[in-house]
Amino acid sequence: MSWSQRFDEPIVLPDGGKLVSLREAVAHLSTAIPKSDHDLPAVVTAAELLTLAAEHGGPVEFARIATLRALNRHHVRQFTDRKDPHWGRRKLARDRW
C-alpha cells in the first residue's frame, strides 16, 4: 500500500476542494486543524487510520470516515421539530354520526 491510494469517494471540502488520496487527506489535516486541536481524539484517530491504511493496508473507508469526523469535529447536529403524528386524529365515517 502507499500514500497515493485513493478514496472510493472523494472528500468534498467546504471551499469546493476535494481530498482524493490518503496523502492529500493527511496533508490537509496537518494544515487545516490548529495545533491546539491535534490532541483531540477525533484528530488522533484520523491520523492513525490514515497511517494504517497507507502503510499497513488497513481499510481506506475507515480512514475516510475518520477524516470526515476530524474535519467536522466541532459541528453540532441540529434536530428540527417534526410535525405532530397523525395517530388518534383520524376518525372512521361510522363514528361521526
Side-chain angles (χ1 to χ4, degrees):
M1 294 292 162
S2 70
W3 285 99
S4 62
Q5 189 170 4
R6 299 169 72 91
F7 295 121
D8 290 337
E9 188 176 325
I11 297 172
V12 180
L13 301 173
D15 64 356
K18 291 183 181 179
L19 301 177
V20 180
S21 67
L22 298 174
R23 178 176 289 123
E24 291 174 2
V26 77
H28 184 74
L29 280 179
S30 65
T31 58
I33 296 178
K35 298 251 186 222
S36 60
D37 287 352
H38 280 203
D39 293 333
L40 293 177
V43 178
V44 171
T45 302
E48 288 176 356
L49 287 173
L50 285 167
T51 304
L52 181 70
E55 296 179 356
H56 302 290
V60 176
E61 189 61 28
F62 289 172
R64 181 182 180 278
I65 292 168
T67 303
L68 285 169
R69 293 188 64 137
L71 291 174
N72 298 318
R73 66 196 176 283
H74 295 301
H75 178 72
V76 178
R77 290 180 63 179
Q78 298 292 326
F79 295 101
T80 59
D81 292 334
R82 294 184 166 214
K83 291 193 262 181
D84 292 332
H86 67 279
W87 306 307
R89 288 193 283 162
R90 290 178 60 181
K91 301 292 181 195
L92 298 175
R94 67 168 196 248
D95 294 337
R96 290 190 216 164
W97 305 89

